[in-house]
Amino acid sequence: MSGIYIHIPFCKQACFYCDFHFSTSLKKKEAMLLAFIKEIEIRKSELGDKIVETIYFGGGTPSVLNKDEIELLINAVYNNFKVVANPEITLEANPDDLSEEKIIALSKSPINRLSIGIQSFFERDLKLMNRAHNSIEAKNCLSVAIRHFKNISVDLIYGIPDCSNKEWRENIQTALSFGISHISSYALTVEPKTALETLIAKGKIKKVSEKKAQEQFYILMEELEKAGFIHYELSNFGKEGLFSKNNSSYWLGKSYLGIGPSAHSFDGKQRSWNVRNNTQYIKSIQENNLPIERETLSKTDNYNEYIMTGLRTIWGVSLAKIKSNYGEKYLHYLKNQSQKYIDEKLLEIVVTTNGVEKLTTTKRGKFLCDGIASDLFMLNSI
């Protein structure tokens, strides 16, 4: 099984914290759509006999597209790839785009999952992040969406400078009150060359506190566990049977094809990525050239990626898989490197019901997961 990711590189306005590739001008939208279709056609053989089980519209802001434009792209996927009978088809959307009319139209399209970028229900937080929607729009769009979609995910951001722990709990409870089945939640991160970095440097926005982010991460785990959600990946929580199939495929090492400027792809052996420029992307595709760079992963690269993705998920890192795929030396190295974190109760080795030993993060270790994983990386090939 495989997945298709389509990067829609347009936004109405720039969020201060965002470092994804996008443009606030929609002038090239029509040319971009045609380029997407052409790239899909050019790359139709790349997945081989693999069947597509997920189609994901990310961005940017995919909800700037209308129903007909979305269906045009979905049809292009169906015309060029084998697709399962009932694929998961997700659209990332912002509340200001989700009028009742738009939601109803989307519900009549092949889209069967919405990922809505709420981020916060507090006006102060939304203004600090320069979000295009307000709190009323956030609540109104959810009230309508839950009547037309069974599978809805909400994005929330923690660690916002002026958001207290009490308000953070309120954010979580407000999201839960709509009966949604999935929450993706991320710490507010100061990325280089973003407006947020500049505003903090100028003293116009308070510095982001890692201590507060850690506190609110543990509050998030506590509240969602009580609500019956499964913490299946570091930033993702879902009800049983409603995990994101698209995101899970990345963490489980499945292949996927990324369409559009800046989109990444993976075939199990190579990673590739398209040029991060709308004009160059369109021009190149029009000339039947893929504006793409490729990197072949070594055994050590694959090992490091498995450690990173495995520790982020409930599936953990299988010690048997390390031995069979990478050999005894890698397994010995992993056990040695992880022992100090096991002693500190940040990692643990658990045995599954079918007798497989796996290395996983403990609740205490989850917030520190990425740092721990990097310490387990193999720096030189054996």
Side-chain angles (χ1 to χ4, degrees):
M1 293 292 186
S2 192
I4 303 285
Y5 171 84
I6 303 176
H7 186 81
I8 310 299
F10 302 112
C11 289
K12 289 180 180 176
Q13 66 185 48
C15 298
F16 288 157
Y17 58 86
C18 183
D19 72 338
F20 291 145
H21 172 66
F22 67 92
S23 169
T24 53
S25 169
L26 299 181
K27 290 179 182 178
K28 291 186 171 70
K29 188 172 77 164
E30 185 176 346
M32 185 65 72
L33 291 173
L34 293 175
F36 287 156
I37 293 170
K38 194 163 188 178
E39 186 186 358
I40 288 169
E41 292 170 350
I42 292 172
R43 303 182 71 183
K44 64 183 179 182
S45 64
E46 284 194 30
L47 294 180
D49 293 329
K50 293 188 177 74
I51 299 174
V52 172
E53 63 175 341
T54 64
I55 303 171
Y56 192 97
F57 291 88
T61 310
S63 53
V64 299
L65 302 184
N66 61 39
K67 175 178 176 286
D68 291 342
E69 291 166 336
I70 291 167
E71 290 186 337
L72 187 70
L73 297 177
I74 293 173
N75 288 339
V77 172
Y78 271 85
N79 290 338
N80 290 279
F81 297 97
K82 298 174 184 177
V83 183
V84 295
N86 295 297
E88 176 190 87
I89 307 180
T90 303
L91 181 80
E92 287 184 356
N94 281 348
D96 47 298
D97 292 324
L98 294 179
S99 64
E100 183 167 8
E101 181 182 11
K102 178 75 170 274
I103 291 170
I104 291 172
L106 290 173
S107 71
K108 295 177 181 177
S109 78
I111 297 291
N112 52 33
R113 184 175 184 270
L114 291 180
S115 177
I116 305 176
I118 300 292
Q119 316 308 359
S120 176
F121 291 99
F122 289 97
E123 290 297 330
R124 177 202 61 231
D125 297 343
L126 296 172
K127 288 177 181 176
L128 180 145
M129 294 183 285
N130 200 39
R131 295 291 293 170
H133 70 277
N134 59 44
S135 180
I136 292 173
E137 287 175 318
K139 293 172 182 175
N140 286 347
C141 84
L142 282 172
S143 296
V144 177
I146 59 172
R147 298 202 301 268
H148 298 278
F149 284 87
K150 292 181 180 179
N151 198 348
I152 294 176
S153 179
V154 160
D155 280 5
L156 294 176
I157 290 180
Y158 57 88
I160 299 170
D162 289 320
C163 183
S164 68
N165 289 351
K166 181 181 178 183
E167 289 172 324
W168 175 234
R169 286 184 192 273
E170 189 176 332
N171 259 334
I172 298 167
Q173 292 305 321
T174 301
L176 293 175
S177 70
F178 289 96
I180 57 171
S181 55
H182 191 281
I183 288 179
S184 294
S185 191
Y186 310 90
L188 182 65
T189 305
V190 185
E191 300 291 352
K193 299 180 181 179
T194 58
L196 181 61
E197 182 186 52
T198 302
L199 291 166
I200 289 174
K202 291 180 177 179
K204 293 184 177 180
I205 291 178
K206 293 177 184 176
K207 289 183 178 180
V208 173
S209 165
E210 186 173 350
K211 181 175 181 292
K212 173 186 276 191
Q214 186 169 13
E215 288 174 357
Q216 294 187 351
F217 177 74
Y218 291 129
I219 289 171
L220 177 72
M221 288 198 298
E222 174 193 332
E223 294 296 322
L224 294 184
E225 184 178 351
K226 286 192 294 187
F229 283 69
I230 299 168
H231 192 184
Y232 70 98
E233 192 273 339
L234 187 63
S235 303
N236 288 270
F237 303 76
K239 291 292 184 74
E240 186 71 56
L242 290 168
F243 299 171
S244 167
K245 292 181 181 178
N246 173 79
N247 294 353
S248 296
S249 69
Y250 300 154
W251 305 315
L252 293 172
K254 295 183 181 180
S255 61
Y256 56 90
L257 195 65
I259 302 297
S262 82
H264 284 59
S265 304
F266 177 63
D267 66 3
K269 296 179 180 178
Q270 282 191 332
R271 291 209 174 277
S272 59
W273 53 95
N274 286 344
V275 65
R276 192 181 168 105
N277 180 290
N278 288 2
T279 301
Q280 289 179 30
Y281 169 79
I282 292 169
K283 183 175 184 296
S284 195
I285 294 294
Q286 286 173 341
E287 295 171 351
N288 290 313
N289 295 319
L290 288 176
I292 198 167
E293 289 185 52
R294 300 183 190 274
E295 173 192 22
T296 300
L297 300 181
S298 66
K299 183 166 84 168
T300 296
D301 291 333
N302 273 309
Y303 163 84
N304 290 342
E305 290 213 1
Y306 179 49
I307 296 299
M308 174 63 79
T309 55
L311 287 184
R312 288 180 66 98
T313 71
I314 57 172
W315 302 292
V317 173
S318 165
L319 299 187
K321 182 174 178 178
I322 293 291
K323 182 178 179 180
S324 63
N325 288 11
Y326 307 105
E328 282 280 4
K329 289 183 179 179
Y330 280 82
L331 179 60
H332 180 70
Y333 177 83
L334 175 61
K335 286 182 174 180
N336 279 348
Q337 288 293 104
S338 60
Q339 190 57 53
K340 61 184 175 182
Y341 295 110
I342 293 172
D343 293 341
E344 293 170 7
K345 295 187 169 31
L346 299 175
L347 293 178
E348 61 183 346
I349 294 177
V350 299
V351 181
T352 64
T353 51
N354 56 357
V356 175
E357 285 187 313
K358 63 179 184 178
L359 183 68
T360 65
T361 50
T362 63
K363 282 188 178 181
R364 277 188 59 230
K366 286 189 186 300
F367 185 78
L368 306 170
C369 175
D370 287 347
I372 294 171
S374 66
D375 197 31
L376 305 184
F377 287 171
M378 182 75 70
L379 300 181
N380 301 297
S381 297
I382 294 177

